[in-house]
């Protein structure tokens, strides 16, 4: 079994927390809101459906400093006083063993499996660090974790979904460089496309998440990558009868596959509390390839939210 290799790409941030007064390295811990004393508990700020009451666990999970780095300022019999980086003070249950941050936790690793201690605290903090650097994609082995930035992200004044950036992932196949591009949807799509070409076995990409997570947009981006990769394939496409398919006809087929999304969205999308354009149905897309080129596609819809037609939650809309 091959040894696991850690990413060689250096961290963009500091890997150590230093006290500005003493110059010594600070010992930081993950702040666990579930350990806060009752007077320190803050109410959640996100809307809840149906006016349901919030238990202690849900309040802790929605705390603004959930698993944020903190230092212990004072420890007494009645409480432990902790301080976050923004100066917020919280009293927690005394005698609590908080989890320490490691250097890898502060770096924001590209693959969370390379963390020395894989825990809920370390995972969420890594995602937070990368999100603040506009690095919305993080690997968890073969799985890609994506966070919706709700804005356009540029890299060197160019969109991270641009054609030039897209081809960097495509060229990685024939490249002998040891370094790999950062985590991206293009990497997932490229892996599936290469496996399809090399092994001639059907490939599946599962995209899941809550409303507003960006599933529909991720599907579009992956389809655009597959369309671009197939159009740049060196092989010549043939139809079912063995005849060569003209380039303009092949391009038109790829455009038709990509243009099908708005039509489906116009009939099955609605406004929810978390998303103004939420897809209220499941989607299963089959893209068929022949000699490395797109030969057709099948889109199946299922589990349409029919109850929305007769009743909607306050703040949401019908189709």
């Amino acid at each position: 079994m091959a040894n696991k290799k850690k990413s060689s790409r250096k961290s963009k941030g500091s890997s150590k927390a230093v006290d500005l007064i003493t110059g010594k390295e600070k010992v930081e811990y993950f702040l666990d809101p579930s350990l806060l004393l009752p007077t320190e508990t803050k109410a959640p700020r996100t809307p809840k459906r149906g006016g349901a009451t919030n238990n202690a666990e849900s309040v802790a999970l929605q705390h603004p400093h959930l698993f944020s780095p903190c230092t212990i300022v004072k420890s007494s019999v009645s409480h432990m006083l902790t301080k976050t980086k923004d100066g917020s003070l919280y009293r927690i249950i005394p005698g609590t063993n908080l989890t320490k941050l490691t250097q890898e936790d502060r770096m924001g690793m590209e693959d969370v499996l390379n963390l020395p201690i894989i825990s809920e605290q370390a995972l969420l903090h890594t995602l937070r660090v990368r999100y603040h650097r506009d690095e919305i994609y993080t690997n968890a082995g073969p799985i890609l974790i994506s966070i919706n930035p709700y804005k356009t992200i540029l890299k060197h004044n160019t969109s991270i979904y641009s054609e030039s950036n897209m081809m960097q992932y495509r060229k990685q196949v024939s490249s002998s460089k040891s370094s790999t591009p950062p985590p991206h949807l293009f990497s997932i799509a490229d892996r599936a496309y290469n496996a399809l070409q090399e092994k001639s076995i059907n490939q599946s990409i599962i995209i899941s998440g809550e409303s507003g997570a960006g599933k529909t947009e991720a599907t579009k981006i992956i389809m655009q990558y597959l369309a671009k990769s197939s159009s740049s394939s060196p092989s010549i496409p043939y139809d079912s009868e063995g005849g060569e398919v003209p380039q303009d006809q092949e391009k038109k087929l790829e455009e038709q596959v990509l243009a099908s999304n708005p039509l489906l969205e116009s009939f099955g999308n609605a406004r929810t509390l978390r998303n103004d354009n939420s897809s209220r149905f499941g989607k299963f897309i089959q893209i068929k390839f022949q000699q490395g080129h797109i030969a057709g596609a099948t889109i199946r819809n299922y589990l349409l939210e029919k109850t929305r037609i007769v009743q909607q939650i306050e703040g949401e809309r019908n189709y």
Side-chain angles (χ1 to χ4, degrees):
M1 182 179 293
N3 293 328
K4 186 190 300 180
K5 295 182 179 180
K6 294 188 178 181
S7 174
S8 60
R9 192 174 288 105
K10 293 183 179 180
S11 170
K12 296 182 180 179
S14 174
S15 60
K16 292 185 179 180
V18 180
D19 192 302
L20 297 178
I21 298 177
T22 63
K24 297 181 179 180
E25 184 177 355
K26 292 191 297 184
V27 178
E28 291 185 306
Y29 304 87
F30 290 115
L31 178 65
D32 189 348
S34 65
L35 301 176
L36 297 181
L37 294 176
T39 54
E40 303 291 332
T41 305
K42 294 184 178 181
R45 297 177 294 178
T46 55
K48 303 297 290 183
R49 296 189 172 211
T53 56
N54 301 289
N55 54 30
E57 183 179 359
S58 64
V59 172
L61 291 176
Q62 297 176 66
H63 195 278
H65 288 103
L66 175 65
F67 302 144
S68 294
C70 70
T71 55
I72 299 177
V73 179
K74 178 183 178 182
S75 182
S76 65
V77 179
S78 60
H79 68 275
M80 280 174 38
L81 185 64
T82 61
K83 183 179 180 180
T84 60
K85 288 186 175 181
D86 62 359
S88 300
L89 298 174
Y90 293 102
R91 295 186 303 168
I92 64 174
I93 301 173
T96 303
N97 292 323
L98 297 176
T99 304
K100 289 184 180 180
L101 268 77
T102 64
Q103 291 187 9
E104 289 80 1
D105 291 327
R106 301 186 183 98
M107 291 168 58
M109 305 290 289
E110 291 185 346
D111 193 330
V112 294
L113 296 188
N114 289 330
L115 292 171
I117 301 176
I118 302 176
S119 63
E120 184 180 12
Q121 295 96 323
L123 172 60
L124 292 180
H125 182 64
T126 296
L127 296 178
R128 180 191 292 119
V129 170
R130 294 181 59 79
Y131 181 82
H132 288 325
R133 297 200 303 241
D134 284 342
E135 297 172 349
I136 60 173
Y137 297 116
T138 305
N139 287 329
I143 301 172
L144 181 70
I145 302 174
S146 171
I147 302 179
N148 193 339
Y150 293 100
K151 66 177 182 179
T152 301
I153 296 181
L154 301 178
K155 182 180 180 181
H156 306 302
N157 296 324
T158 306
S159 171
I160 61 174
Y161 306 111
S162 64
E163 185 173 328
S164 59
N165 192 36
M166 185 184 299
M167 296 313 296
Q168 289 181 5
Y169 287 82
R170 190 74 199 113
K171 291 178 181 178
Q172 190 66 25
V173 179
S174 57
S175 175
S176 58
K177 297 180 181 179
S178 58
S179 61
T180 57
H184 201 290
L185 283 169
F186 292 160
S187 179
I188 297 294
D190 189 70
R191 190 192 313 159
Y193 182 77
N194 292 335
L196 178 68
Q197 293 295 98
E198 297 171 2
K199 302 178 181 179
S200 297
I201 299 176
N202 293 336
Q203 303 296 313
S204 298
I205 299 176
I206 300 175
I207 304 175
S208 63
E210 63 178 14
S211 178
K215 299 183 295 297
T216 301
E217 290 302 314
T219 302
K220 294 177 185 177
I221 293 168
I222 288 177
M223 290 176 65
Q224 289 171 357
Y225 185 89
L226 294 175
K228 182 62 180 178
S229 298
S230 64
S231 64
S232 60
S233 177
S235 61
I236 301 175
Y238 295 93
D239 56 23
S240 58
E241 297 179 356
E244 185 176 335
V245 177
Q247 274 192 345
D248 57 344
Q249 182 178 340
E250 181 192 4
K251 185 177 180 180
K252 184 177 180 181
L253 179 58
E254 294 166 355
E255 291 175 350
Q256 288 176 344
V257 173
L258 297 176
S260 63
N261 281 294
L263 180 62
L264 294 172
E265 293 175 9
S266 63
F267 289 98
N269 282 28
R271 180 180 180 179
T272 64
L273 295 178
R274 297 189 177 185
N275 188 359
D276 287 342
N277 191 37
S278 176
S279 302
R280 308 312 301 163
F281 59 94
K283 189 188 303 180
F284 181 74
I285 304 175
Q286 283 183 311
I287 302 179
K288 303 173 183 179
F289 291 84
Q290 192 172 19
Q291 284 87 39
H293 297 261
I294 293 180
T298 302
I299 302 178
R300 300 178 184 177
N301 304 321
Y302 57 93
L303 296 178
L304 177 66
E305 190 181 27
K306 298 179 181 179
T307 56
R308 183 172 293 273
I309 298 176
V310 296
Q311 184 180 5
Q312 304 91 41
I313 297 174
E314 184 178 356
E316 298 192 355
R317 293 181 180 178
N318 202 339
Y319 297 114

Short mmCIF file of all heavy atoms in Angstrom, two decimals, residues 207-209 215-216 219 261 264-265 267-269 278-285 298-306 319:
data_model
loop_
_atom_site.label_atom_id
_atom_site.label_comp_id
_atom_site.label_asym_id
_atom_site.label_seq_id
_atom_site.Cartn_x
_atom_site.Cartn_y
_atom_site.Cartn_z
N ILE A 207 -23.54 14.51 -6.06
CA ILE A 207 -23.49 15.86 -5.52
C ILE A 207 -24.64 16.00 -4.53
O ILE A 207 -25.80 15.88 -4.90
CB ILE A 207 -23.62 16.92 -6.64
CG1 ILE A 207 -22.53 16.71 -7.69
CG2 ILE A 207 -23.55 18.33 -6.06
CD1 ILE A 207 -22.65 17.63 -8.88
N SER A 208 -24.32 16.24 -3.27
CA SER A 208 -25.35 16.34 -2.23
C SER A 208 -25.09 17.55 -1.35
O SER A 208 -23.97 18.08 -1.30
CB SER A 208 -25.38 15.06 -1.39
OG SER A 208 -24.15 14.90 -0.69
N GLY A 209 -26.13 17.97 -0.64
CA GLY A 209 -26.01 19.12 0.24
C GLY A 209 -27.37 19.70 0.53
O GLY A 209 -28.37 19.34 -0.10
N LYS A 215 -25.55 22.90 -5.22
CA LYS A 215 -25.56 21.63 -5.96
C LYS A 215 -25.81 21.84 -7.45
O LYS A 215 -25.14 21.24 -8.29
CB LYS A 215 -26.64 20.70 -5.37
CG LYS A 215 -26.44 20.35 -3.90
CD LYS A 215 -27.49 19.39 -3.41
CE LYS A 215 -28.89 20.00 -3.43
NZ LYS A 215 -29.01 21.16 -2.51
N THR A 216 -26.79 22.68 -7.77
CA THR A 216 -27.13 22.90 -9.18
C THR A 216 -25.97 23.55 -9.93
O THR A 216 -25.64 23.16 -11.06
CB THR A 216 -28.39 23.78 -9.30
OG1 THR A 216 -29.48 23.13 -8.63
CG2 THR A 216 -28.77 24.00 -10.75
N THR A 219 -23.25 21.09 -10.56
CA THR A 219 -23.60 20.21 -11.68
C THR A 219 -23.29 20.88 -13.01
O THR A 219 -22.72 20.25 -13.92
CB THR A 219 -25.09 19.84 -11.62
OG1 THR A 219 -25.37 19.21 -10.37
CG2 THR A 219 -25.47 18.89 -12.75
N ASN A 261 -30.55 22.79 -18.51
CA ASN A 261 -30.75 23.16 -17.11
C ASN A 261 -31.77 24.28 -16.89
O ASN A 261 -32.65 24.14 -16.05
CB ASN A 261 -29.41 23.53 -16.46
CG ASN A 261 -28.59 22.31 -16.08
OD1 ASN A 261 -28.96 21.53 -15.22
ND2 ASN A 261 -27.48 22.13 -16.76
N LEU A 264 -35.43 23.05 -17.07
CA LEU A 264 -35.87 22.29 -15.90
C LEU A 264 -36.09 23.20 -14.69
O LEU A 264 -37.05 23.04 -13.94
CB LEU A 264 -34.84 21.21 -15.56
CG LEU A 264 -34.65 20.09 -16.60
CD1 LEU A 264 -33.46 19.22 -16.21
CD2 LEU A 264 -35.90 19.25 -16.71
N GLU A 265 -35.20 24.18 -14.52
CA GLU A 265 -35.30 25.08 -13.38
C GLU A 265 -36.55 25.94 -13.45
O GLU A 265 -37.13 26.30 -12.42
CB GLU A 265 -34.05 25.97 -13.31
CG GLU A 265 -32.78 25.20 -12.98
CD GLU A 265 -31.55 26.08 -13.03
OE1 GLU A 265 -31.72 27.32 -13.16
OE2 GLU A 265 -30.43 25.56 -12.94
N PHE A 267 -39.45 25.14 -14.28
CA PHE A 267 -40.65 24.41 -13.86
C PHE A 267 -40.55 23.84 -12.44
O PHE A 267 -41.57 23.57 -11.82
CB PHE A 267 -40.94 23.26 -14.83
CG PHE A 267 -41.42 23.70 -16.17
CD1 PHE A 267 -40.54 23.82 -17.23
CD2 PHE A 267 -42.75 24.05 -16.38
CE1 PHE A 267 -40.98 24.23 -18.47
CE2 PHE A 267 -43.19 24.47 -17.62
CZ PHE A 267 -42.30 24.57 -18.66
N GLY A 268 -39.34 23.65 -11.93
CA GLY A 268 -39.20 22.97 -10.65
C GLY A 268 -38.43 23.73 -9.59
O GLY A 268 -38.06 23.15 -8.58
N ASN A 269 -38.18 25.02 -9.81
CA ASN A 269 -37.47 25.81 -8.80
C ASN A 269 -38.42 26.76 -8.08
O ASN A 269 -39.39 27.24 -8.66
CB ASN A 269 -36.34 26.62 -9.45
CG ASN A 269 -35.13 25.76 -9.75
OD1 ASN A 269 -35.25 24.55 -9.97
ND2 ASN A 269 -33.96 26.36 -9.77
N SER A 278 -34.21 27.69 -5.45
CA SER A 278 -33.91 26.33 -5.01
C SER A 278 -34.58 25.29 -5.89
O SER A 278 -35.76 25.40 -6.23
CB SER A 278 -34.39 26.15 -3.57
OG SER A 278 -34.19 24.82 -3.14
N SER A 279 -33.83 24.28 -6.28
CA SER A 279 -34.38 23.16 -7.05
C SER A 279 -35.13 22.25 -6.10
O SER A 279 -34.53 21.64 -5.20
CB SER A 279 -33.25 22.38 -7.75
OG SER A 279 -32.51 23.21 -8.61
N ARG A 280 -36.43 22.12 -6.30
CA ARG A 280 -37.26 21.32 -5.40
C ARG A 280 -37.53 19.94 -5.97
O ARG A 280 -38.63 19.40 -5.87
CB ARG A 280 -38.58 22.05 -5.10
CG ARG A 280 -38.44 23.48 -4.63
CD ARG A 280 -37.41 23.61 -3.52
NE ARG A 280 -37.73 22.80 -2.36
CZ ARG A 280 -36.85 22.50 -1.42
NH1 ARG A 280 -35.58 22.87 -1.55
NH2 ARG A 280 -37.23 21.79 -0.39
N PHE A 281 -36.53 19.37 -6.60
CA PHE A 281 -36.65 18.02 -7.16
C PHE A 281 -35.25 17.42 -7.28
O PHE A 281 -34.24 18.14 -7.26
CB PHE A 281 -37.31 18.05 -8.55
CG PHE A 281 -36.56 18.89 -9.56
CD1 PHE A 281 -35.63 18.32 -10.42
CD2 PHE A 281 -36.77 20.26 -9.65
CE1 PHE A 281 -34.93 19.08 -11.34
CE2 PHE A 281 -36.09 21.03 -10.58
CZ PHE A 281 -35.17 20.44 -11.42
N GLY A 282 -35.21 16.11 -7.36
CA GLY A 282 -33.95 15.42 -7.57
C GLY A 282 -33.65 15.31 -9.06
O GLY A 282 -34.57 15.37 -9.90
N LYS A 283 -32.40 15.16 -9.39
CA LYS A 283 -32.02 15.12 -10.80
C LYS A 283 -30.96 14.03 -11.00
O LYS A 283 -29.96 13.97 -10.28
CB LYS A 283 -31.46 16.48 -11.21
CG LYS A 283 -31.22 16.62 -12.72
CD LYS A 283 -30.49 17.92 -13.01
CE LYS A 283 -31.25 19.12 -12.49
NZ LYS A 283 -30.52 20.38 -12.79
N PHE A 284 -31.20 13.16 -11.98
CA PHE A 284 -30.24 12.13 -12.34
C PHE A 284 -29.86 12.34 -13.81
O PHE A 284 -30.70 12.21 -14.70
CB PHE A 284 -30.83 10.74 -12.14
CG PHE A 284 -29.87 9.62 -12.48
CD1 PHE A 284 -28.81 9.31 -11.63
CD2 PHE A 284 -30.03 8.88 -13.64
CE1 PHE A 284 -27.94 8.29 -11.94
CE2 PHE A 284 -29.16 7.86 -13.95
CZ PHE A 284 -28.11 7.55 -13.10
N ILE A 285 -28.61 12.69 -14.05
CA ILE A 285 -28.15 13.01 -15.40
C ILE A 285 -27.19 11.93 -15.88
O ILE A 285 -26.21 11.60 -15.19
CB ILE A 285 -27.44 14.38 -15.43
CG1 ILE A 285 -28.37 15.47 -14.90
CG2 ILE A 285 -26.98 14.73 -16.84
CD1 ILE A 285 -27.71 16.83 -14.79
N THR A 298 -29.20 11.89 -20.99
CA THR A 298 -30.55 11.61 -20.48
C THR A 298 -30.69 12.25 -19.10
O THR A 298 -29.81 12.08 -18.25
CB THR A 298 -30.79 10.09 -20.36
OG1 THR A 298 -30.60 9.48 -21.63
CG2 THR A 298 -32.20 9.82 -19.87
N ILE A 299 -31.75 13.00 -18.89
CA ILE A 299 -31.99 13.67 -17.62
C ILE A 299 -33.31 13.16 -17.03
O ILE A 299 -34.35 13.26 -17.69
CB ILE A 299 -32.03 15.19 -17.78
CG1 ILE A 299 -30.71 15.70 -18.38
CG2 ILE A 299 -32.28 15.88 -16.44
CD1 ILE A 299 -30.67 17.18 -18.62
N ARG A 300 -33.26 12.63 -15.84
CA ARG A 300 -34.46 12.12 -15.17
C ARG A 300 -34.71 12.93 -13.90
O ARG A 300 -33.79 13.16 -13.11
CB ARG A 300 -34.28 10.64 -14.82
CG ARG A 300 -34.05 9.74 -16.04
CD ARG A 300 -33.83 8.30 -15.61
NE ARG A 300 -33.50 7.45 -16.74
CZ ARG A 300 -33.20 6.16 -16.65
NH1 ARG A 300 -33.18 5.58 -15.45
NH2 ARG A 300 -32.92 5.45 -17.72
N ASN A 301 -35.94 13.34 -13.73
CA ASN A 301 -36.33 14.09 -12.53
C ASN A 301 -37.15 13.19 -11.62
O ASN A 301 -37.92 12.35 -12.08
CB ASN A 301 -37.15 15.32 -12.92
CG ASN A 301 -36.40 16.22 -13.88
OD1 ASN A 301 -35.20 16.40 -13.75
ND2 ASN A 301 -37.11 16.77 -14.86
N TYR A 302 -37.02 13.39 -10.32
CA TYR A 302 -37.77 12.58 -9.37
C TYR A 302 -37.98 13.36 -8.08
O TYR A 302 -37.30 14.36 -7.81
CB TYR A 302 -37.04 11.27 -9.07
CG TYR A 302 -35.63 11.43 -8.56
CD1 TYR A 302 -35.37 11.45 -7.19
CD2 TYR A 302 -34.55 11.57 -9.43
CE1 TYR A 302 -34.09 11.60 -6.70
CE2 TYR A 302 -33.25 11.74 -8.96
CZ TYR A 302 -33.03 11.74 -7.59
OH TYR A 302 -31.76 11.90 -7.12
N LEU A 303 -38.92 12.90 -7.28
CA LEU A 303 -39.23 13.48 -5.97
C LEU A 303 -39.51 14.98 -6.04
O LEU A 303 -39.02 15.75 -5.21
CB LEU A 303 -38.08 13.21 -4.98
CG LEU A 303 -37.82 11.74 -4.64
CD1 LEU A 303 -36.63 11.63 -3.68
CD2 LEU A 303 -39.05 11.10 -4.02
N LEU A 304 -40.32 15.39 -7.00
CA LEU A 304 -40.74 16.79 -7.05
C LEU A 304 -41.58 17.11 -5.82
O LEU A 304 -42.47 16.34 -5.44
CB LEU A 304 -41.56 17.06 -8.32
CG LEU A 304 -42.12 18.47 -8.47
CD1 LEU A 304 -41.00 19.49 -8.64
CD2 LEU A 304 -43.09 18.55 -9.64
N GLU A 305 -41.32 18.23 -5.18
CA GLU A 305 -42.02 18.63 -3.96
C GLU A 305 -43.43 19.12 -4.32
O GLU A 305 -43.68 20.33 -4.44
CB GLU A 305 -41.24 19.73 -3.24
CG GLU A 305 -41.75 20.03 -1.85
CD GLU A 305 -40.95 21.14 -1.20
OE1 GLU A 305 -40.39 21.97 -1.92
OE2 GLU A 305 -40.89 21.15 0.03
N LYS A 306 -44.37 18.18 -4.44
CA LYS A 306 -45.73 18.51 -4.89
C LYS A 306 -46.52 19.26 -3.82
O LYS A 306 -47.44 20.01 -4.14
CB LYS A 306 -46.47 17.23 -5.30
CG LYS A 306 -45.82 16.50 -6.47
CD LYS A 306 -46.57 15.23 -6.82
CE LYS A 306 -45.90 14.49 -7.97
NZ LYS A 306 -46.61 13.22 -8.31
N TYR A 319 -44.15 27.43 -7.07
CA TYR A 319 -43.40 27.34 -8.33
C TYR A 319 -43.78 28.48 -9.24
O TYR A 319 -44.88 29.00 -9.20
CB TYR A 319 -43.68 26.00 -9.01
CG TYR A 319 -43.21 24.82 -8.21
CD1 TYR A 319 -44.09 23.91 -7.67
CD2 TYR A 319 -41.84 24.64 -7.97
CE1 TYR A 319 -43.66 22.83 -6.93
CE2 TYR A 319 -41.41 23.55 -7.23
CZ TYR A 319 -42.32 22.66 -6.71
OH TYR A 319 -41.87 21.60 -5.97
#
